[in-house]
Amino acid sequence: MIMSPLKSIKNPFKIFANKQPSSENARHARKYWRKNHSFFSLSKSTLALSVAFLFLPLMVITLFSFNSAKSANFEGFSLIWYEKLFFESDDLWKALLNSLVIAVDSSLVATLIGSLAAIGIGWYKFFGKSYIQTISFLPMVLPEVIMGVSLLIFFNGINFGLGMKSIFIAHTTFCLPFVYLMVSARIDEFDYSIIEAAHDLGANEFQTLTKVIIPAIMPGVTSGYMMSVTMSLEDYVITSLVNGAGSVTLPIKIYNMMRVGVSPVINSLSFVLILTICAIVLVLRGSLKNFAASR
């Protein structure tokens, strides 16, 4: 009679149990790691300094937005600057609205053009492809003042009036390379067999683009759009060179206000924007997780 190998062993699971580290060994391993890894190290110190450098100014702005006085010393808790922000700062809110309109619209156009350009350059061969790939990164490496002066000379050369339209064109121009770079990185990781499968199933070029390619590269498109919005909102140099009368964005408005002294109203607005951005990030984080899980 032939016995099964597992029956010949009193406890078959003992084979696999021996491969797992015992609780005693794990405890000694943790003790050894803690003994040989001190709390203070170069990497931890660098991380702490980086976090402090990034977040301490935000904490200072938040604290002084509740200052009862306009001085640089905190003299007491008050909401007076928030009252002035919401009820006596129409020009500041108008500048913020201009920045939001320019950022959303220019980023949308830059994302559309940059995504299509990344798809075309990444998948098709044509004359001058390498040249276009090279010059597409120039707005990223050139100083902003050179970019702004170049656009200003161009607008003056074609007699194009400076204003919201010129700011929109300028922001679309310098946001394009960032969208192109992010979407290109996503396309480089794309599985081309999916496109071949779509063609085998009878999909034409347009159907392949809208139902296969765009959903696959959507994380890169979304990242490019969000980065474009961020860069457009914070840009000052290029905007200051191509703006006209009545076209004041938030960075320009804040700079003009700070020329006569730092107003605590700016601190209040900064804290409101910080809270708004944190709320948007939390919402988008959950949405992007659900979107990634559905893929």
Side-chain angles (χ1 to χ4, degrees):
M1 182 177 179
I2 301 175
M3 297 181 62
S4 172
L6 289 178
K7 289 182 178 180
S8 64
I9 302 174
K10 293 182 179 180
N11 186 5
F13 298 99
K14 189 176 181 181
I15 300 175
F16 303 98
N18 290 334
K19 295 182 179 180
Q20 301 295 330
S22 64
S23 58
E24 186 69 21
N25 294 336
R27 185 162 55 251
H28 283 296
R30 287 194 297 266
K31 184 178 180 181
Y32 176 81
W33 188 90
R34 291 169 183 170
K35 181 179 179 181
N36 292 275
H37 292 78
S38 61
F39 182 78
F40 295 99
S41 63
L42 179 61
S43 59
K44 293 180 180 179
S45 301
T46 304
L47 175 62
L49 290 175
S50 301
V51 171
F53 179 78
L54 291 173
F55 290 98
L56 277 180
L58 301 181
M59 296 175 62
V60 172
I61 287 176
T62 302
L63 176 64
F64 279 89
S65 67
F66 296 100
N67 192 9
S68 60
K70 195 176 180 179
S71 62
N73 298 322
F74 189 83
E75 299 183 5
F77 183 86
S78 176
L79 297 175
I80 183 174
W81 304 115
Y82 287 92
E83 181 181 354
K84 291 183 179 294
L85 172 66
F86 288 107
F87 300 105
E88 301 178 15
S89 303
D90 294 338
D91 294 341
L92 198 58
W93 289 109
K94 184 178 179 180
L96 176 60
L97 179 61
N98 290 340
S99 292
L100 290 175
V101 170
I102 292 294
V104 172
D105 294 344
S106 63
S107 299
L108 184 63
V109 176
T111 302
L112 178 62
I113 299 176
S115 300
L116 294 177
I119 294 173
I121 294 175
W123 283 340
Y124 297 99
K125 295 182 179 180
F126 52 89
F127 177 76
K129 176 180 177 179
S130 59
Y131 175 74
I132 294 176
Q133 287 178 319
T134 302
I135 65 173
S136 62
F137 294 103
L138 282 179
M140 296 178 60
V141 298
L142 287 175
E144 288 190 354
V145 64
I146 296 179
M147 186 77 177
V149 171
S150 302
L151 289 169
L152 178 61
I153 294 174
F154 172 75
F155 290 141
N156 290 334
I158 63 175
N159 294 323
F160 190 87
L162 300 180
M164 293 292 289
K165 293 181 180 180
S166 61
I167 298 176
F168 167 79
I169 295 174
H171 284 212
T172 303
T173 302
F174 74 77
C175 286
L176 263 172
F178 296 94
V179 178
Y180 169 77
L181 180 64
M182 290 195 168
V183 178
S184 296
R186 186 72 179 180
I187 290 176
D188 291 340
E189 301 175 354
F190 194 85
D191 186 4
Y192 290 89
S193 62
I194 301 177
I195 299 178
E196 296 176 357
H199 290 164
D200 292 340
L201 294 174
N204 55 31
E205 292 290 335
F206 182 76
Q207 290 173 333
T208 304
L209 175 65
T210 56
K211 297 184 180 299
V212 178
I213 299 175
I214 292 180
I217 65 174
M218 187 55 66
V221 175
T222 305
S223 300
Y225 177 78
M226 295 176 66
M227 175 169 282
S228 298
V229 171
T230 302
M231 295 189 61
S232 177
L233 285 174
E234 59 89 22
D235 180 75
Y236 171 78
V237 177
I238 296 177
T239 307
S240 64
L241 292 171
V242 299
N243 74 321
S247 55
V248 179
T249 59
L250 184 61
I252 295 177
K253 180 64 179 179
I254 292 177
Y255 176 76
N256 293 335
M257 293 175 64
M258 293 185 65
R259 293 176 63 183
V260 295
V262 179
S263 174
V265 176
I266 299 176
N267 298 334
S268 303
L269 178 62
S270 300
F271 183 58
V272 171
L273 292 178
I274 291 172
L275 291 180
T276 304
I277 292 172
C278 290
I280 293 174
V281 168
L282 291 176
V283 172
L284 290 179
R285 182 184 179 187
S287 301
L288 291 177
K289 280 185 177 180
N290 295 332
F291 176 79
S294 63
R295 293 293 155 185

PDB file of all heavy atoms in Angstrom, residues 88-110:
ATOM      1  N   GLU A  88     -14.829  94.169   2.240  1.00  0.00           N
ATOM      2  CA  GLU A  88     -14.220  95.436   1.820  1.00  0.00           C
ATOM      3  C   GLU A  88     -13.068  95.231   0.843  1.00  0.00           C
ATOM      4  O   GLU A  88     -12.204  96.108   0.717  1.00  0.00           O
ATOM      5  CB  GLU A  88     -13.704  96.192   3.055  1.00  0.00           C
ATOM      6  CG  GLU A  88     -14.772  96.510   4.084  1.00  0.00           C
ATOM      7  CD  GLU A  88     -14.200  97.224   5.304  1.00  0.00           C
ATOM      8  OE1 GLU A  88     -13.049  97.706   5.217  1.00  0.00           O
ATOM      9  OE2 GLU A  88     -14.901  97.297   6.333  1.00  0.00           O
ATOM     10  N   SER A  89     -13.024  94.102   0.158  1.00  0.00           N
ATOM     11  CA  SER A  89     -11.906  93.821  -0.756  1.00  0.00           C
ATOM     12  C   SER A  89     -12.419  93.336  -2.104  1.00  0.00           C
ATOM     13  O   SER A  89     -12.059  92.251  -2.579  1.00  0.00           O
ATOM     14  CB  SER A  89     -10.962  92.780  -0.129  1.00  0.00           C
ATOM     15  OG  SER A  89     -10.482  93.200   1.121  1.00  0.00           O
ATOM     16  N   ASP A  90     -13.267  94.142  -2.719  1.00  0.00           N
ATOM     17  CA  ASP A  90     -13.835  93.758  -4.017  1.00  0.00           C
ATOM     18  C   ASP A  90     -12.754  93.641  -5.090  1.00  0.00           C
ATOM     19  O   ASP A  90     -12.819  92.745  -5.951  1.00  0.00           O
ATOM     20  CB  ASP A  90     -14.887  94.779  -4.449  1.00  0.00           C
ATOM     21  CG  ASP A  90     -16.100  94.764  -3.525  1.00  0.00           C
ATOM     22  OD1 ASP A  90     -16.308  93.721  -2.844  1.00  0.00           O
ATOM     23  OD2 ASP A  90     -16.825  95.771  -3.467  1.00  0.00           O
ATOM     24  N   ASP A  91     -11.764  94.535  -5.058  1.00  0.00           N
ATOM     25  CA  ASP A  91     -10.698  94.490  -6.067  1.00  0.00           C
ATOM     26  C   ASP A  91      -9.876  93.202  -5.955  1.00  0.00           C
ATOM     27  O   ASP A  91      -9.452  92.631  -6.966  1.00  0.00           O
ATOM     28  CB  ASP A  91      -9.780  95.709  -5.923  1.00  0.00           C
ATOM     29  CG  ASP A  91     -10.492  97.006  -6.254  1.00  0.00           C
ATOM     30  OD1 ASP A  91     -11.540  96.945  -6.924  1.00  0.00           O
ATOM     31  OD2 ASP A  91     -10.012  98.080  -5.829  1.00  0.00           O
ATOM     32  N   LEU A  92      -9.667  92.746  -4.735  1.00  0.00           N
ATOM     33  CA  LEU A  92      -8.895  91.529  -4.523  1.00  0.00           C
ATOM     34  C   LEU A  92      -9.641  90.300  -5.047  1.00  0.00           C
ATOM     35  O   LEU A  92      -9.053  89.420  -5.691  1.00  0.00           O
ATOM     36  CB  LEU A  92      -8.593  91.371  -3.032  1.00  0.00           C
ATOM     37  CG  LEU A  92      -7.460  90.414  -2.638  1.00  0.00           C
ATOM     38  CD1 LEU A  92      -6.141  90.839  -3.286  1.00  0.00           C
ATOM     39  CD2 LEU A  92      -7.315  90.361  -1.126  1.00  0.00           C
ATOM     40  N   TRP A  93     -10.939  90.242  -4.810  1.00  0.00           N
ATOM     41  CA  TRP A  93     -11.738  89.124  -5.308  1.00  0.00           C
ATOM     42  C   TRP A  93     -11.856  89.160  -6.832  1.00  0.00           C
ATOM     43  O   TRP A  93     -11.895  88.106  -7.496  1.00  0.00           O
ATOM     44  CB  TRP A  93     -13.122  89.134  -4.666  1.00  0.00           C
ATOM     45  CG  TRP A  93     -13.105  88.770  -3.221  1.00  0.00           C
ATOM     46  CD1 TRP A  93     -13.328  89.591  -2.159  1.00  0.00           C
ATOM     47  CD2 TRP A  93     -12.843  87.468  -2.666  1.00  0.00           C
ATOM     48  NE1 TRP A  93     -13.224  88.897  -0.982  1.00  0.00           N
ATOM     49  CE2 TRP A  93     -12.927  87.598  -1.255  1.00  0.00           C
ATOM     50  CE3 TRP A  93     -12.544  86.233  -3.212  1.00  0.00           C
ATOM     51  CZ2 TRP A  93     -12.726  86.527  -0.398  1.00  0.00           C
ATOM     52  CZ3 TRP A  93     -12.345  85.158  -2.359  1.00  0.00           C
ATOM     53  CH2 TRP A  93     -12.441  85.302  -0.978  1.00  0.00           C
ATOM     54  N   LYS A  94     -11.917  90.358  -7.396  1.00  0.00           N
ATOM     55  CA  LYS A  94     -11.958  90.474  -8.854  1.00  0.00           C
ATOM     56  C   LYS A  94     -10.662  89.972  -9.468  1.00  0.00           C
ATOM     57  O   LYS A  94     -10.673  89.284 -10.504  1.00  0.00           O
ATOM     58  CB  LYS A  94     -12.200  91.930  -9.255  1.00  0.00           C
ATOM     59  CG  LYS A  94     -12.344  92.129 -10.755  1.00  0.00           C
ATOM     60  CD  LYS A  94     -12.618  93.574 -11.101  1.00  0.00           C
ATOM     61  CE  LYS A  94     -12.736  93.758 -12.613  1.00  0.00           C
ATOM     62  NZ  LYS A  94     -13.001  95.187 -12.960  1.00  0.00           N
ATOM     63  N   ALA A  95      -9.541  90.299  -8.843  1.00  0.00           N
ATOM     64  CA  ALA A  95      -8.250  89.802  -9.335  1.00  0.00           C
ATOM     65  C   ALA A  95      -8.180  88.284  -9.223  1.00  0.00           C
ATOM     66  O   ALA A  95      -7.659  87.606 -10.122  1.00  0.00           O
ATOM     67  CB  ALA A  95      -7.111  90.447  -8.548  1.00  0.00           C
ATOM     68  N   LEU A  96      -8.698  87.729  -8.129  1.00  0.00           N
ATOM     69  CA  LEU A  96      -8.724  86.275  -7.976  1.00  0.00           C
ATOM     70  C   LEU A  96      -9.598  85.631  -9.041  1.00  0.00           C
ATOM     71  O   LEU A  96      -9.238  84.583  -9.612  1.00  0.00           O
ATOM     72  CB  LEU A  96      -9.233  85.909  -6.582  1.00  0.00           C
ATOM     73  CG  LEU A  96      -9.417  84.412  -6.297  1.00  0.00           C
ATOM     74  CD1 LEU A  96      -8.103  83.673  -6.440  1.00  0.00           C
ATOM     75  CD2 LEU A  96     -10.008  84.209  -4.905  1.00  0.00           C
ATOM     76  N   LEU A  97     -10.726  86.246  -9.339  1.00  0.00           N
ATOM     77  CA  LEU A  97     -11.604  85.720 -10.388  1.00  0.00           C
ATOM     78  C   LEU A  97     -10.912  85.742 -11.740  1.00  0.00           C
ATOM     79  O   LEU A  97     -11.021  84.781 -12.522  1.00  0.00           O
ATOM     80  CB  LEU A  97     -12.906  86.531 -10.427  1.00  0.00           C
ATOM     81  CG  LEU A  97     -13.924  86.103 -11.490  1.00  0.00           C
ATOM     82  CD1 LEU A  97     -14.372  84.663 -11.254  1.00  0.00           C
ATOM     83  CD2 LEU A  97     -15.125  87.048 -11.486  1.00  0.00           C
ATOM     84  N   ASN A  98     -10.193  86.839 -12.043  1.00  0.00           N
ATOM     85  CA  ASN A  98      -9.438  86.901 -13.300  1.00  0.00           C
ATOM     86  C   ASN A  98      -8.400  85.784 -13.380  1.00  0.00           C
ATOM     87  O   ASN A  98      -8.242  85.149 -14.432  1.00  0.00           O
ATOM     88  CB  ASN A  98      -8.754  88.263 -13.425  1.00  0.00           C
ATOM     89  CG  ASN A  98      -9.724  89.399 -13.660  1.00  0.00           C
ATOM     90  OD1 ASN A  98     -10.855  89.176 -14.102  1.00  0.00           O
ATOM     91  ND2 ASN A  98      -9.319  90.613 -13.352  1.00  0.00           N
ATOM     92  N   SER A  99      -7.708  85.533 -12.275  1.00  0.00           N
ATOM     93  CA  SER A  99      -6.700  84.475 -12.254  1.00  0.00           C
ATOM     94  C   SER A  99      -7.336  83.111 -12.472  1.00  0.00           C
ATOM     95  O   SER A  99      -6.800  82.271 -13.214  1.00  0.00           O
ATOM     96  CB  SER A  99      -5.935  84.492 -10.930  1.00  0.00           C
ATOM     97  OG  SER A  99      -5.134  85.648 -10.818  1.00  0.00           O
ATOM     98  N   LEU A 100      -8.479  82.872 -11.843  1.00  0.00           N
ATOM     99  CA  LEU A 100      -9.146  81.582 -11.998  1.00  0.00           C
ATOM    100  C   LEU A 100      -9.641  81.369 -13.423  1.00  0.00           C
ATOM    101  O   LEU A 100      -9.504  80.270 -13.983  1.00  0.00           O
ATOM    102  CB  LEU A 100     -10.315  81.480 -11.013  1.00  0.00           C
ATOM    103  CG  LEU A 100      -9.954  81.339  -9.529  1.00  0.00           C
ATOM    104  CD1 LEU A 100     -11.202  81.379  -8.669  1.00  0.00           C
ATOM    105  CD2 LEU A 100      -9.196  80.044  -9.285  1.00  0.00           C
ATOM    106  N   VAL A 101     -10.204  82.412 -14.022  1.00  0.00           N
ATOM    107  CA  VAL A 101     -10.699  82.296 -15.402  1.00  0.00           C
ATOM    108  C   VAL A 101      -9.552  82.006 -16.355  1.00  0.00           C
ATOM    109  O   VAL A 101      -9.636  81.117 -17.215  1.00  0.00           O
ATOM    110  CB  VAL A 101     -11.450  83.586 -15.807  1.00  0.00           C
ATOM    111  CG1 VAL A 101     -11.756  83.579 -17.307  1.00  0.00           C
ATOM    112  CG2 VAL A 101     -12.733  83.726 -15.013  1.00  0.00           C
ATOM    113  N   ILE A 102      -8.458  82.756 -16.204  1.00  0.00           N
ATOM    114  CA  ILE A 102      -7.293  82.544 -17.070  1.00  0.00           C
ATOM    115  C   ILE A 102      -6.702  81.151 -16.843  1.00  0.00           C
ATOM    116  O   ILE A 102      -6.367  80.434 -17.806  1.00  0.00           O
ATOM    117  CB  ILE A 102      -6.228  83.623 -16.801  1.00  0.00           C
ATOM    118  CG1 ILE A 102      -6.722  84.997 -17.263  1.00  0.00           C
ATOM    119  CG2 ILE A 102      -4.923  83.272 -17.500  1.00  0.00           C
ATOM    120  CD1 ILE A 102      -6.903  85.126 -18.750  1.00  0.00           C
ATOM    121  N   ALA A 103      -6.579  80.739 -15.590  1.00  0.00           N
ATOM    122  CA  ALA A 103      -5.955  79.447 -15.284  1.00  0.00           C
ATOM    123  C   ALA A 103      -6.775  78.286 -15.825  1.00  0.00           C
ATOM    124  O   ALA A 103      -6.237  77.364 -16.460  1.00  0.00           O
ATOM    125  CB  ALA A 103      -5.768  79.310 -13.775  1.00  0.00           C
ATOM    126  N   VAL A 104      -8.079  78.311 -15.603  1.00  0.00           N
ATOM    127  CA  VAL A 104      -8.934  77.206 -16.045  1.00  0.00           C
ATOM    128  C   VAL A 104      -8.987  77.132 -17.565  1.00  0.00           C
ATOM    129  O   VAL A 104      -8.829  76.053 -18.162  1.00  0.00           O
ATOM    130  CB  VAL A 104     -10.341  77.361 -15.448  1.00  0.00           C
ATOM    131  CG1 VAL A 104     -11.300  76.334 -16.062  1.00  0.00           C
ATOM    132  CG2 VAL A 104     -10.306  77.188 -13.934  1.00  0.00           C
ATOM    133  N   ASP A 105      -9.187  78.270 -18.226  1.00  0.00           N
ATOM    134  CA  ASP A 105      -9.338  78.275 -19.687  1.00  0.00           C
ATOM    135  C   ASP A 105      -8.027  77.969 -20.402  1.00  0.00           C
ATOM    136  O   ASP A 105      -7.986  77.144 -21.321  1.00  0.00           O
ATOM    137  CB  ASP A 105      -9.889  79.629 -20.150  1.00  0.00           C
ATOM    138  CG  ASP A 105     -11.308  79.872 -19.666  1.00  0.00           C
ATOM    139  OD1 ASP A 105     -11.958  78.888 -19.248  1.00  0.00           O
ATOM    140  OD2 ASP A 105     -11.768  81.028 -19.687  1.00  0.00           O
ATOM    141  N   SER A 106      -6.955  78.640 -19.996  1.00  0.00           N
ATOM    142  CA  SER A 106      -5.671  78.409 -20.660  1.00  0.00           C
ATOM    143  C   SER A 106      -5.169  76.987 -20.425  1.00  0.00           C
ATOM    144  O   SER A 106      -4.598  76.359 -21.322  1.00  0.00           O
ATOM    145  CB  SER A 106      -4.634  79.424 -20.174  1.00  0.00           C
ATOM    146  OG  SER A 106      -4.377  79.270 -18.790  1.00  0.00           O
ATOM    147  N   SER A 107      -5.391  76.450 -19.228  1.00  0.00           N
ATOM    148  CA  SER A 107      -4.967  75.079 -18.944  1.00  0.00           C
ATOM    149  C   SER A 107      -5.776  74.076 -19.749  1.00  0.00           C
ATOM    150  O   SER A 107      -5.246  73.044 -20.188  1.00  0.00           O
ATOM    151  CB  SER A 107      -5.110  74.781 -17.452  1.00  0.00           C
ATOM    152  OG  SER A 107      -4.296  75.644 -16.688  1.00  0.00           O
ATOM    153  N   LEU A 108      -7.039  74.364 -19.959  1.00  0.00           N
ATOM    154  CA  LEU A 108      -7.875  73.468 -20.759  1.00  0.00           C
ATOM    155  C   LEU A 108      -7.384  73.408 -22.199  1.00  0.00           C
ATOM    156  O   LEU A 108      -7.240  72.317 -22.786  1.00  0.00           O
ATOM    157  CB  LEU A 108      -9.326  73.935 -20.709  1.00  0.00           C
ATOM    158  CG  LEU A 108     -10.359  73.054 -21.417  1.00  0.00           C
ATOM    159  CD1 LEU A 108     -10.410  71.673 -20.764  1.00  0.00           C
ATOM    160  CD2 LEU A 108     -11.738  73.705 -21.391  1.00  0.00           C
ATOM    161  N   VAL A 109      -7.096  74.564 -22.781  1.00  0.00           N
ATOM    162  CA  VAL A 109      -6.595  74.604 -24.153  1.00  0.00           C
ATOM    163  C   VAL A 109      -5.208  73.975 -24.237  1.00  0.00           C
ATOM    164  O   VAL A 109      -4.907  73.209 -25.168  1.00  0.00           O
ATOM    165  CB  VAL A 109      -6.577  76.058 -24.676  1.00  0.00           C
ATOM    166  CG1 VAL A 109      -5.959  76.130 -26.073  1.00  0.00           C
ATOM    167  CG2 VAL A 109      -7.985  76.633 -24.699  1.00  0.00           C
ATOM    168  N   ALA A 110      -4.338  74.294 -23.271  1.00  0.00           N
ATOM    169  CA  ALA A 110      -2.985  73.724 -23.265  1.00  0.00           C
ATOM    170  C   ALA A 110      -3.029  72.207 -23.115  1.00  0.00           C
ATOM    171  O   ALA A 110      -2.241  71.487 -23.750  1.00  0.00           O
ATOM    172  CB  ALA A 110      -2.162  74.342 -22.137  1.00  0.00           C
TER     173      ALA A 110
END
